[in-house]
Amino acid sequence: MAEEQFQERTEPATPKRLQEAREKGQIARSRELNAMAVTLTGAFAVFLLGEGMVNDVTGLMAANLSLPRPAVLGTEQMLVYLKDATLAAVQALLPWLTLLTVVALIAPMSLGGWSFSTQAMQFKGDRINPVAGLKRLFAMRGLVELLKAMAKFLLVGTIAVLVLNWLSDEFIGLGRQNLMEALNHAGWLMAVAFVLFSAGLILIAAVDVPFQIWDHGKKLRMTRQEVRDELKETEGRPEVRGKVRALQQEAARRRMLEDIPVASVVVTNPTHYAVALRYDAEEMSAPVVVAKGADLMALKIREIANEHDVPIFEAPPLARALYASADIGDEIAERLYVAVAQVLTYIYQLDRHLAGLAGAPERPDIDIDESTDGDEG
């Protein structure tokens, strides 16, 4: 355990570790991305909906600044006017507020996706521990947050100076316009300035999002020992994995033996190797190995072939070459095409001879370069 504490976290988080972190509410999040999305959306919404909102609010203010004298002096009537004015103000701002609410809910999901974790809401003592708080404050993350705050201040401040300098004549000219025209023009100027200020946050978010993804991955890195321990927990103990592999191999052997009855021929060594081949000229471009085995498995293949009248052809060099060059389910090696074609042709002619349709064929002399064959064993 002590050795594991001193190991460096150099391994990327495994899928299991990432899933556990998500269940705890630990996912990559960027507050700058959320702030940018909400602010920029609000700015464009003001630009698009501002005229209607300004007109509604202006009418509401005009109506409430010209109340009749009895209403001003009567408490009950003032409460009614206050309720009506509040509802009218909410109704005027409702499209803008609704849009901001939707964006505020969707924006966080754009990085890390949806995550709701009850574990993240549990009480943890280190959250109110002043010592832990100071460590977080002076840690690298605290420094990064300080730099981001300074960068935002400088960036937005610079944009504000440039925008105000650009629109200064427009703002000064508001005093020469009539009231309604000035209000509409001021609303338009504020909307343009708001959009430009908000656009500056795009640069901050573009830097913060990659950093948050990198920082999240760094915090979830694992030591090599943790990866090995997780592998043991996931796949089980070595003896269990060995048992699983043995069962898988046994199942593969059963499937292999079940395919022997459909083989076209079994090429043997004669005793050390046996390779069952299947070839269908209409479905296959080359013969395929459906079963192969050595020693006892070779004997089992020959027994099944005899039980199902599958031809057995004794050709030691060819059997060794087939066994060494192709796995079960693979096509035979191209250099063995001619030799296997001779064997299949002989089997076909032999079947015709046994059916009384042709004379006895001459057994082919199979010539294989044994320098590339497998060992006989």
Side-chain angles (χ1 to χ4, degrees), residues 144-181:
V144 171
E145 293 298 327
L146 176 61
L147 292 176
K148 286 196 301 183
M150 294 177 61
K152 284 192 292 185
F153 174 77
L154 292 174
L155 181 62
V156 175
T158 302
I159 294 176
V161 171
L162 294 175
V163 170
L164 291 176
N165 182 62
W166 173 46
L167 298 177
S168 58
D169 294 339
E170 300 279 349
F171 281 109
I172 294 174
L174 293 176
R176 297 191 294 269
Q177 299 175 354
N178 61 54
L179 179 60
M180 291 306 300
E181 184 180 356

PDB file of all heavy atoms in Angstrom, residues 144-181:
ATOM      1  N   VAL A 144      -5.020  29.311 -11.558  1.00  0.00           N
ATOM      2  CA  VAL A 144      -5.652  29.363 -12.879  1.00  0.00           C
ATOM      3  C   VAL A 144      -6.934  30.185 -12.821  1.00  0.00           C
ATOM      4  O   VAL A 144      -7.212  31.010 -13.708  1.00  0.00           O
ATOM      5  CB  VAL A 144      -5.922  27.942 -13.397  1.00  0.00           C
ATOM      6  CG1 VAL A 144      -6.779  27.990 -14.666  1.00  0.00           C
ATOM      7  CG2 VAL A 144      -4.620  27.220 -13.672  1.00  0.00           C
ATOM      8  N   GLU A 145      -7.734  29.979 -11.772  1.00  0.00           N
ATOM      9  CA  GLU A 145      -8.978  30.737 -11.645  1.00  0.00           C
ATOM     10  C   GLU A 145      -8.690  32.233 -11.496  1.00  0.00           C
ATOM     11  O   GLU A 145      -9.404  33.076 -12.047  1.00  0.00           O
ATOM     12  CB  GLU A 145      -9.775  30.234 -10.436  1.00  0.00           C
ATOM     13  CG  GLU A 145     -10.309  28.822 -10.583  1.00  0.00           C
ATOM     14  CD  GLU A 145     -11.278  28.680 -11.741  1.00  0.00           C
ATOM     15  OE1 GLU A 145     -12.005  29.660 -12.024  1.00  0.00           O
ATOM     16  OE2 GLU A 145     -11.316  27.608 -12.358  1.00  0.00           O
ATOM     17  N   LEU A 146      -7.637  32.571 -10.735  1.00  0.00           N
ATOM     18  CA  LEU A 146      -7.255  33.977 -10.581  1.00  0.00           C
ATOM     19  C   LEU A 146      -6.839  34.576 -11.922  1.00  0.00           C
ATOM     20  O   LEU A 146      -7.237  35.694 -12.274  1.00  0.00           O
ATOM     21  CB  LEU A 146      -6.120  34.094  -9.576  1.00  0.00           C
ATOM     22  CG  LEU A 146      -5.539  35.511  -9.373  1.00  0.00           C
ATOM     23  CD1 LEU A 146      -6.618  36.454  -8.846  1.00  0.00           C
ATOM     24  CD2 LEU A 146      -4.341  35.471  -8.427  1.00  0.00           C
ATOM     25  N   LEU A 147      -6.047  33.826 -12.682  1.00  0.00           N
ATOM     26  CA  LEU A 147      -5.613  34.310 -13.994  1.00  0.00           C
ATOM     27  C   LEU A 147      -6.803  34.472 -14.940  1.00  0.00           C
ATOM     28  O   LEU A 147      -6.850  35.437 -15.721  1.00  0.00           O
ATOM     29  CB  LEU A 147      -4.590  33.344 -14.588  1.00  0.00           C
ATOM     30  CG  LEU A 147      -3.229  33.279 -13.873  1.00  0.00           C
ATOM     31  CD1 LEU A 147      -2.346  32.198 -14.503  1.00  0.00           C
ATOM     32  CD2 LEU A 147      -2.530  34.633 -13.923  1.00  0.00           C
ATOM     33  N   LYS A 148      -7.758  33.538 -14.869  1.00  0.00           N
ATOM     34  CA  LYS A 148      -8.946  33.665 -15.724  1.00  0.00           C
ATOM     35  C   LYS A 148      -9.751  34.904 -15.349  1.00  0.00           C
ATOM     36  O   LYS A 148     -10.248  35.627 -16.229  1.00  0.00           O
ATOM     37  CB  LYS A 148      -9.817  32.411 -15.596  1.00  0.00           C
ATOM     38  CG  LYS A 148      -9.269  31.202 -16.305  1.00  0.00           C
ATOM     39  CD  LYS A 148     -10.324  30.130 -16.482  1.00  0.00           C
ATOM     40  CE  LYS A 148     -10.893  29.682 -15.175  1.00  0.00           C
ATOM     41  NZ  LYS A 148     -11.870  28.585 -15.339  1.00  0.00           N
ATOM     42  N   ALA A 149      -9.900  35.166 -14.046  1.00  0.00           N
ATOM     43  CA  ALA A 149     -10.656  36.342 -13.619  1.00  0.00           C
ATOM     44  C   ALA A 149      -9.974  37.622 -14.101  1.00  0.00           C
ATOM     45  O   ALA A 149     -10.643  38.559 -14.583  1.00  0.00           O
ATOM     46  CB  ALA A 149     -10.786  36.345 -12.101  1.00  0.00           C
ATOM     47  N   MET A 150      -8.646  37.678 -13.986  1.00  0.00           N
ATOM     48  CA  MET A 150      -7.918  38.857 -14.453  1.00  0.00           C
ATOM     49  C   MET A 150      -8.038  39.001 -15.967  1.00  0.00           C
ATOM     50  O   MET A 150      -8.205  40.118 -16.488  1.00  0.00           O
ATOM     51  CB  MET A 150      -6.446  38.744 -14.046  1.00  0.00           C
ATOM     52  CG  MET A 150      -6.220  38.789 -12.542  1.00  0.00           C
ATOM     53  SD  MET A 150      -4.475  38.568 -12.093  1.00  0.00           S
ATOM     54  CE  MET A 150      -3.739  39.969 -12.912  1.00  0.00           C
ATOM     55  N   ALA A 151      -7.963  37.861 -16.682  1.00  0.00           N
ATOM     56  CA  ALA A 151      -8.068  37.905 -18.138  1.00  0.00           C
ATOM     57  C   ALA A 151      -9.456  38.392 -18.558  1.00  0.00           C
ATOM     58  O   ALA A 151      -9.593  39.194 -19.500  1.00  0.00           O
ATOM     59  CB  ALA A 151      -7.784  36.528 -18.729  1.00  0.00           C
ATOM     60  N   LYS A 152     -10.490  37.907 -17.866  1.00  0.00           N
ATOM     61  CA  LYS A 152     -11.841  38.359 -18.192  1.00  0.00           C
ATOM     62  C   LYS A 152     -11.991  39.868 -17.949  1.00  0.00           C
ATOM     63  O   LYS A 152     -12.586  40.586 -18.760  1.00  0.00           O
ATOM     64  CB  LYS A 152     -12.870  37.592 -17.354  1.00  0.00           C
ATOM     65  CG  LYS A 152     -13.124  36.192 -17.829  1.00  0.00           C
ATOM     66  CD  LYS A 152     -14.339  35.580 -17.160  1.00  0.00           C
ATOM     67  CE  LYS A 152     -14.082  35.341 -15.691  1.00  0.00           C
ATOM     68  NZ  LYS A 152     -15.209  34.630 -15.054  1.00  0.00           N
ATOM     69  N   PHE A 153     -11.448  40.321 -16.813  1.00  0.00           N
ATOM     70  CA  PHE A 153     -11.550  41.751 -16.506  1.00  0.00           C
ATOM     71  C   PHE A 153     -10.857  42.593 -17.574  1.00  0.00           C
ATOM     72  O   PHE A 153     -11.404  43.585 -18.065  1.00  0.00           O
ATOM     73  CB  PHE A 153     -10.937  42.021 -15.129  1.00  0.00           C
ATOM     74  CG  PHE A 153     -10.856  43.465 -14.776  1.00  0.00           C
ATOM     75  CD1 PHE A 153     -11.983  44.159 -14.362  1.00  0.00           C
ATOM     76  CD2 PHE A 153      -9.647  44.157 -14.876  1.00  0.00           C
ATOM     77  CE1 PHE A 153     -11.910  45.514 -14.050  1.00  0.00           C
ATOM     78  CE2 PHE A 153      -9.573  45.501 -14.570  1.00  0.00           C
ATOM     79  CZ  PHE A 153     -10.703  46.180 -14.158  1.00  0.00           C
ATOM     80  N   LEU A 154      -9.639  42.185 -17.929  1.00  0.00           N
ATOM     81  CA  LEU A 154      -8.891  42.943 -18.921  1.00  0.00           C
ATOM     82  C   LEU A 154      -9.558  42.897 -20.288  1.00  0.00           C
ATOM     83  O   LEU A 154      -9.651  43.918 -20.989  1.00  0.00           O
ATOM     84  CB  LEU A 154      -7.459  42.400 -19.011  1.00  0.00           C
ATOM     85  CG  LEU A 154      -6.571  42.644 -17.782  1.00  0.00           C
ATOM     86  CD1 LEU A 154      -5.229  41.930 -17.959  1.00  0.00           C
ATOM     87  CD2 LEU A 154      -6.359  44.130 -17.552  1.00  0.00           C
ATOM     88  N   LEU A 155     -10.025  41.704 -20.671  1.00  0.00           N
ATOM     89  CA  LEU A 155     -10.628  41.557 -21.992  1.00  0.00           C
ATOM     90  C   LEU A 155     -11.921  42.355 -22.103  1.00  0.00           C
ATOM     91  O   LEU A 155     -12.114  43.145 -23.040  1.00  0.00           O
ATOM     92  CB  LEU A 155     -10.873  40.078 -22.285  1.00  0.00           C
ATOM     93  CG  LEU A 155     -11.488  39.761 -23.652  1.00  0.00           C
ATOM     94  CD1 LEU A 155     -10.556  40.205 -24.766  1.00  0.00           C
ATOM     95  CD2 LEU A 155     -11.780  38.272 -23.778  1.00  0.00           C
ATOM     96  N   VAL A 156     -12.827  42.144 -21.119  1.00  0.00           N
ATOM     97  CA  VAL A 156     -14.108  42.846 -21.174  1.00  0.00           C
ATOM     98  C   VAL A 156     -13.897  44.348 -21.009  1.00  0.00           C
ATOM     99  O   VAL A 156     -14.568  45.175 -21.660  1.00  0.00           O
ATOM    100  CB  VAL A 156     -15.057  42.293 -20.092  1.00  0.00           C
ATOM    101  CG1 VAL A 156     -16.360  43.107 -20.066  1.00  0.00           C
ATOM    102  CG2 VAL A 156     -15.372  40.832 -20.356  1.00  0.00           C
ATOM    103  N   GLY A 157     -12.945  44.726 -20.131  1.00  0.00           N
ATOM    104  CA  GLY A 157     -12.663  46.146 -19.958  1.00  0.00           C
ATOM    105  C   GLY A 157     -12.148  46.781 -21.230  1.00  0.00           C
ATOM    106  O   GLY A 157     -12.551  47.905 -21.597  1.00  0.00           O
ATOM    107  N   THR A 158     -11.252  46.085 -21.929  1.00  0.00           N
ATOM    108  CA  THR A 158     -10.725  46.606 -23.193  1.00  0.00           C
ATOM    109  C   THR A 158     -11.831  46.750 -24.232  1.00  0.00           C
ATOM    110  O   THR A 158     -11.918  47.772 -24.941  1.00  0.00           O
ATOM    111  CB  THR A 158      -9.624  45.676 -23.728  1.00  0.00           C
ATOM    112  OG1 THR A 158      -8.577  45.566 -22.762  1.00  0.00           O
ATOM    113  CG2 THR A 158      -9.057  46.204 -25.038  1.00  0.00           C
ATOM    114  N   ILE A 159     -12.679  45.718 -24.312  1.00  0.00           N
ATOM    115  CA  ILE A 159     -13.793  45.788 -25.270  1.00  0.00           C
ATOM    116  C   ILE A 159     -14.734  46.937 -24.912  1.00  0.00           C
ATOM    117  O   ILE A 159     -15.224  47.664 -25.797  1.00  0.00           O
ATOM    118  CB  ILE A 159     -14.549  44.448 -25.307  1.00  0.00           C
ATOM    119  CG1 ILE A 159     -13.651  43.340 -25.876  1.00  0.00           C
ATOM    120  CG2 ILE A 159     -15.822  44.570 -26.136  1.00  0.00           C
ATOM    121  CD1 ILE A 159     -14.291  41.969 -25.861  1.00  0.00           C
ATOM    122  N   ALA A 160     -14.978  47.126 -23.601  1.00  0.00           N
ATOM    123  CA  ALA A 160     -15.877  48.198 -23.178  1.00  0.00           C
ATOM    124  C   ALA A 160     -15.324  49.566 -23.582  1.00  0.00           C
ATOM    125  O   ALA A 160     -16.067  50.434 -24.080  1.00  0.00           O
ATOM    126  CB  ALA A 160     -16.074  48.133 -21.661  1.00  0.00           C
ATOM    127  N   VAL A 161     -14.024  49.775 -23.370  1.00  0.00           N
ATOM    128  CA  VAL A 161     -13.416  51.050 -23.755  1.00  0.00           C
ATOM    129  C   VAL A 161     -13.529  51.275 -25.256  1.00  0.00           C
ATOM    130  O   VAL A 161     -13.884  52.374 -25.724  1.00  0.00           O
ATOM    131  CB  VAL A 161     -11.943  51.096 -23.306  1.00  0.00           C
ATOM    132  CG1 VAL A 161     -11.237  52.321 -23.888  1.00  0.00           C
ATOM    133  CG2 VAL A 161     -11.858  51.118 -21.787  1.00  0.00           C
ATOM    134  N   LEU A 162     -13.232  50.226 -26.035  1.00  0.00           N
ATOM    135  CA  LEU A 162     -13.301  50.359 -27.488  1.00  0.00           C
ATOM    136  C   LEU A 162     -14.716  50.629 -27.967  1.00  0.00           C
ATOM    137  O   LEU A 162     -14.949  51.472 -28.860  1.00  0.00           O
ATOM    138  CB  LEU A 162     -12.751  49.085 -28.144  1.00  0.00           C
ATOM    139  CG  LEU A 162     -11.255  48.806 -27.925  1.00  0.00           C
ATOM    140  CD1 LEU A 162     -10.878  47.449 -28.529  1.00  0.00           C
ATOM    141  CD2 LEU A 162     -10.411  49.916 -28.547  1.00  0.00           C
ATOM    142  N   VAL A 163     -15.695  49.905 -27.370  1.00  0.00           N
ATOM    143  CA  VAL A 163     -17.084  50.079 -27.798  1.00  0.00           C
ATOM    144  C   VAL A 163     -17.593  51.465 -27.420  1.00  0.00           C
ATOM    145  O   VAL A 163     -18.254  52.154 -28.225  1.00  0.00           O
ATOM    146  CB  VAL A 163     -17.962  48.975 -27.173  1.00  0.00           C
ATOM    147  CG1 VAL A 163     -19.444  49.278 -27.414  1.00  0.00           C
ATOM    148  CG2 VAL A 163     -17.612  47.622 -27.768  1.00  0.00           C
ATOM    149  N   LEU A 164     -17.316  51.884 -26.186  1.00  0.00           N
ATOM    150  CA  LEU A 164     -17.777  53.220 -25.765  1.00  0.00           C
ATOM    151  C   LEU A 164     -17.124  54.317 -26.597  1.00  0.00           C
ATOM    152  O   LEU A 164     -17.762  55.345 -26.911  1.00  0.00           O
ATOM    153  CB  LEU A 164     -17.473  53.418 -24.277  1.00  0.00           C
ATOM    154  CG  LEU A 164     -18.295  52.549 -23.308  1.00  0.00           C
ATOM    155  CD1 LEU A 164     -17.849  52.763 -21.876  1.00  0.00           C
ATOM    156  CD2 LEU A 164     -19.782  52.837 -23.464  1.00  0.00           C
ATOM    157  N   ASN A 165     -15.874  54.143 -26.941  1.00  0.00           N
ATOM    158  CA  ASN A 165     -15.207  55.131 -27.798  1.00  0.00           C
ATOM    159  C   ASN A 165     -15.821  55.145 -29.185  1.00  0.00           C
ATOM    160  O   ASN A 165     -15.981  56.212 -29.811  1.00  0.00           O
ATOM    161  CB  ASN A 165     -13.720  54.793 -27.872  1.00  0.00           C
ATOM    162  CG  ASN A 165     -12.954  55.810 -28.709  1.00  0.00           C
ATOM    163  OD1 ASN A 165     -12.901  56.991 -28.367  1.00  0.00           O
ATOM    164  ND2 ASN A 165     -12.383  55.348 -29.817  1.00  0.00           N
ATOM    165  N   TRP A 166     -16.190  53.965 -29.671  1.00  0.00           N
ATOM    166  CA  TRP A 166     -16.797  53.846 -31.001  1.00  0.00           C
ATOM    167  C   TRP A 166     -18.195  54.454 -31.026  1.00  0.00           C
ATOM    168  O   TRP A 166     -18.608  55.106 -31.999  1.00  0.00           O
ATOM    169  CB  TRP A 166     -16.832  52.376 -31.399  1.00  0.00           C
ATOM    170  CG  TRP A 166     -17.567  52.087 -32.669  1.00  0.00           C
ATOM    171  CD1 TRP A 166     -17.459  52.761 -33.856  1.00  0.00           C
ATOM    172  CD2 TRP A 166     -18.552  51.084 -32.886  1.00  0.00           C
ATOM    173  NE1 TRP A 166     -18.302  52.221 -34.797  1.00  0.00           N
ATOM    174  CE2 TRP A 166     -18.992  51.174 -34.223  1.00  0.00           C
ATOM    175  CE3 TRP A 166     -19.109  50.095 -32.086  1.00  0.00           C
ATOM    176  CZ2 TRP A 166     -19.940  50.334 -34.760  1.00  0.00           C
ATOM    177  CZ3 TRP A 166     -20.061  49.245 -32.615  1.00  0.00           C
ATOM    178  CH2 TRP A 166     -20.469  49.361 -33.940  1.00  0.00           C
ATOM    179  N   LEU A 167     -18.978  54.258 -29.924  1.00  0.00           N
ATOM    180  CA  LEU A 167     -20.369  54.711 -29.892  1.00  0.00           C
ATOM    181  C   LEU A 167     -20.547  56.001 -29.102  1.00  0.00           C
ATOM    182  O   LEU A 167     -21.691  56.358 -28.776  1.00  0.00           O
ATOM    183  CB  LEU A 167     -21.247  53.609 -29.268  1.00  0.00           C
ATOM    184  CG  LEU A 167     -21.303  52.275 -30.011  1.00  0.00           C
ATOM    185  CD1 LEU A 167     -22.142  51.279 -29.229  1.00  0.00           C
ATOM    186  CD2 LEU A 167     -21.880  52.455 -31.405  1.00  0.00           C
ATOM    187  N   SER A 168     -19.460  56.663 -28.750  1.00  0.00           N
ATOM    188  CA  SER A 168     -19.577  57.863 -27.900  1.00  0.00           C
ATOM    189  C   SER A 168     -20.446  58.943 -28.550  1.00  0.00           C
ATOM    190  O   SER A 168     -21.278  59.574 -27.887  1.00  0.00           O
ATOM    191  CB  SER A 168     -18.172  58.416 -27.593  1.00  0.00           C
ATOM    192  OG  SER A 168     -17.486  58.729 -28.808  1.00  0.00           O
ATOM    193  N   ASP A 169     -20.265  59.157 -29.842  1.00  0.00           N
ATOM    194  CA  ASP A 169     -21.078  60.174 -30.531  1.00  0.00           C
ATOM    195  C   ASP A 169     -22.551  59.803 -30.498  1.00  0.00           C
ATOM    196  O   ASP A 169     -23.422  60.692 -30.389  1.00  0.00           O
ATOM    197  CB  ASP A 169     -20.601  60.344 -31.971  1.00  0.00           C
ATOM    198  CG  ASP A 169     -19.197  60.933 -32.058  1.00  0.00           C
ATOM    199  OD1 ASP A 169     -18.763  61.561 -31.069  1.00  0.00           O
ATOM    200  OD2 ASP A 169     -18.536  60.732 -33.101  1.00  0.00           O
ATOM    201  N   GLU A 170     -22.837  58.504 -30.615  1.00  0.00           N
ATOM    202  CA  GLU A 170     -24.234  58.053 -30.574  1.00  0.00           C
ATOM    203  C   GLU A 170     -24.843  58.330 -29.206  1.00  0.00           C
ATOM    204  O   GLU A 170     -25.983  58.814 -29.101  1.00  0.00           O
ATOM    205  CB  GLU A 170     -24.303  56.553 -30.879  1.00  0.00           C
ATOM    206  CG  GLU A 170     -23.766  56.159 -32.233  1.00  0.00           C
ATOM    207  CD  GLU A 170     -24.777  56.378 -33.334  1.00  0.00           C
ATOM    208  OE1 GLU A 170     -25.952  56.633 -33.012  1.00  0.00           O
ATOM    209  OE2 GLU A 170     -24.400  56.313 -34.516  1.00  0.00           O
ATOM    210  N   PHE A 171     -24.108  58.044 -28.142  1.00  0.00           N
ATOM    211  CA  PHE A 171     -24.634  58.276 -26.795  1.00  0.00           C
ATOM    212  C   PHE A 171     -24.813  59.771 -26.526  1.00  0.00           C
ATOM    213  O   PHE A 171     -25.815  60.186 -25.925  1.00  0.00           O
ATOM    214  CB  PHE A 171     -23.683  57.679 -25.747  1.00  0.00           C
ATOM    215  CG  PHE A 171     -23.829  56.182 -25.583  1.00  0.00           C
ATOM    216  CD1 PHE A 171     -22.846  55.319 -26.032  1.00  0.00           C
ATOM    217  CD2 PHE A 171     -24.953  55.643 -24.978  1.00  0.00           C
ATOM    218  CE1 PHE A 171     -22.970  53.945 -25.889  1.00  0.00           C
ATOM    219  CE2 PHE A 171     -25.092  54.267 -24.826  1.00  0.00           C
ATOM    220  CZ  PHE A 171     -24.102  53.413 -25.285  1.00  0.00           C
ATOM    221  N   ILE A 172     -23.859  60.577 -26.970  1.00  0.00           N
ATOM    222  CA  ILE A 172     -23.977  62.027 -26.767  1.00  0.00           C
ATOM    223  C   ILE A 172     -25.170  62.588 -27.534  1.00  0.00           C
ATOM    224  O   ILE A 172     -25.883  63.483 -27.072  1.00  0.00           O
ATOM    225  CB  ILE A 172     -22.670  62.728 -27.194  1.00  0.00           C
ATOM    226  CG1 ILE A 172     -21.530  62.297 -26.263  1.00  0.00           C
ATOM    227  CG2 ILE A 172     -22.838  64.237 -27.185  1.00  0.00           C
ATOM    228  CD1 ILE A 172     -20.167  62.820 -26.686  1.00  0.00           C
ATOM    229  N   GLY A 173     -25.444  62.026 -28.700  1.00  0.00           N
ATOM    230  CA  GLY A 173     -26.544  62.511 -29.524  1.00  0.00           C
ATOM    231  C   GLY A 173     -27.914  62.170 -28.986  1.00  0.00           C
ATOM    232  O   GLY A 173     -28.922  62.691 -29.488  1.00  0.00           O
ATOM    233  N   LEU A 174     -28.006  61.303 -27.969  1.00  0.00           N
ATOM    234  CA  LEU A 174     -29.317  60.961 -27.406  1.00  0.00           C
ATOM    235  C   LEU A 174     -30.006  62.186 -26.813  1.00  0.00           C
ATOM    236  O   LEU A 174     -31.241  62.268 -26.798  1.00  0.00           O
ATOM    237  CB  LEU A 174     -29.155  59.879 -26.323  1.00  0.00           C
ATOM    238  CG  LEU A 174     -28.703  58.493 -26.809  1.00  0.00           C
ATOM    239  CD1 LEU A 174     -28.488  57.568 -25.616  1.00  0.00           C
ATOM    240  CD2 LEU A 174     -29.736  57.892 -27.752  1.00  0.00           C
ATOM    241  N   GLY A 175     -29.206  63.133 -26.294  1.00  0.00           N
ATOM    242  CA  GLY A 175     -29.806  64.317 -25.664  1.00  0.00           C
ATOM    243  C   GLY A 175     -30.504  65.225 -26.641  1.00  0.00           C
ATOM    244  O   GLY A 175     -31.316  66.087 -26.228  1.00  0.00           O
ATOM    245  N   ARG A 176     -30.235  65.109 -27.905  1.00  0.00           N
ATOM    246  CA  ARG A 176     -30.861  65.971 -28.917  1.00  0.00           C
ATOM    247  C   ARG A 176     -32.104  65.345 -29.531  1.00  0.00           C
ATOM    248  O   ARG A 176     -32.703  65.914 -30.438  1.00  0.00           O
ATOM    249  CB  ARG A 176     -29.842  66.286 -30.012  1.00  0.00           C
ATOM    250  CG  ARG A 176     -28.640  67.070 -29.525  1.00  0.00           C
ATOM    251  CD  ARG A 176     -27.790  67.577 -30.692  1.00  0.00           C
ATOM    252  NE  ARG A 176     -27.181  66.451 -31.414  1.00  0.00           N
ATOM    253  CZ  ARG A 176     -25.977  65.947 -31.125  1.00  0.00           C
ATOM    254  NH1 ARG A 176     -25.278  66.465 -30.101  1.00  0.00           N
ATOM    255  NH2 ARG A 176     -25.470  64.951 -31.813  1.00  0.00           N
ATOM    256  N   GLN A 177     -32.495  64.142 -29.087  1.00  0.00           N
ATOM    257  CA  GLN A 177     -33.653  63.439 -29.645  1.00  0.00           C
ATOM    258  C   GLN A 177     -34.831  63.550 -28.687  1.00  0.00           C
ATOM    259  O   GLN A 177     -34.665  63.784 -27.479  1.00  0.00           O
ATOM    260  CB  GLN A 177     -33.287  61.966 -29.878  1.00  0.00           C
ATOM    261  CG  GLN A 177     -32.140  61.757 -30.855  1.00  0.00           C
ATOM    262  CD  GLN A 177     -31.733  60.286 -30.963  1.00  0.00           C
ATOM    263  OE1 GLN A 177     -32.231  59.447 -30.245  1.00  0.00           O
ATOM    264  NE2 GLN A 177     -30.822  60.009 -31.896  1.00  0.00           N
ATOM    265  N   ASN A 178     -36.038  63.361 -29.242  1.00  0.00           N
ATOM    266  CA  ASN A 178     -37.208  63.360 -28.364  1.00  0.00           C
ATOM    267  C   ASN A 178     -37.219  62.097 -27.508  1.00  0.00           C
ATOM    268  O   ASN A 178     -36.436  61.165 -27.737  1.00  0.00           O
ATOM    269  CB  ASN A 178     -38.504  63.485 -29.184  1.00  0.00           C
ATOM    270  CG  ASN A 178     -38.677  62.306 -30.144  1.00  0.00           C
ATOM    271  OD1 ASN A 178     -38.647  61.143 -29.752  1.00  0.00           O
ATOM    272  ND2 ASN A 178     -38.843  62.625 -31.428  1.00  0.00           N
ATOM    273  N   LEU A 179     -38.109  62.073 -26.523  1.00  0.00           N
ATOM    274  CA  LEU A 179     -38.044  61.023 -25.497  1.00  0.00           C
ATOM    275  C   LEU A 179     -38.162  59.622 -26.086  1.00  0.00           C
ATOM    276  O   LEU A 179     -37.316  58.750 -25.826  1.00  0.00           O
ATOM    277  CB  LEU A 179     -39.133  61.253 -24.448  1.00  0.00           C
ATOM    278  CG  LEU A 179     -39.178  60.207 -23.323  1.00  0.00           C
ATOM    279  CD1 LEU A 179     -37.867  60.181 -22.555  1.00  0.00           C
ATOM    280  CD2 LEU A 179     -40.357  60.494 -22.385  1.00  0.00           C
ATOM    281  N   MET A 180     -39.175  59.315 -26.871  1.00  0.00           N
ATOM    282  CA  MET A 180     -39.399  57.961 -27.379  1.00  0.00           C
ATOM    283  C   MET A 180     -38.285  57.547 -28.335  1.00  0.00           C
ATOM    284  O   MET A 180     -37.792  56.416 -28.299  1.00  0.00           O
ATOM    285  CB  MET A 180     -40.758  57.881 -28.075  1.00  0.00           C
ATOM    286  CG  MET A 180     -41.942  57.990 -27.124  1.00  0.00           C
ATOM    287  SD  MET A 180     -41.866  56.772 -25.773  1.00  0.00           S
ATOM    288  CE  MET A 180     -41.864  55.238 -26.704  1.00  0.00           C
ATOM    289  N   GLU A 181     -37.882  58.497 -29.192  1.00  0.00           N
ATOM    290  CA  GLU A 181     -36.808  58.184 -30.129  1.00  0.00           C
ATOM    291  C   GLU A 181     -35.505  57.911 -29.373  1.00  0.00           C
ATOM    292  O   GLU A 181     -34.744  56.987 -29.705  1.00  0.00           O
ATOM    293  CB  GLU A 181     -36.619  59.340 -31.112  1.00  0.00           C
ATOM    294  CG  GLU A 181     -35.570  59.054 -32.195  1.00  0.00           C
ATOM    295  CD  GLU A 181     -35.402  60.234 -33.148  1.00  0.00           C
ATOM    296  OE1 GLU A 181     -36.147  61.228 -32.998  1.00  0.00           O
ATOM    297  OE2 GLU A 181     -34.514  60.157 -34.027  1.00  0.00           O
TER     298      GLU A 181
END
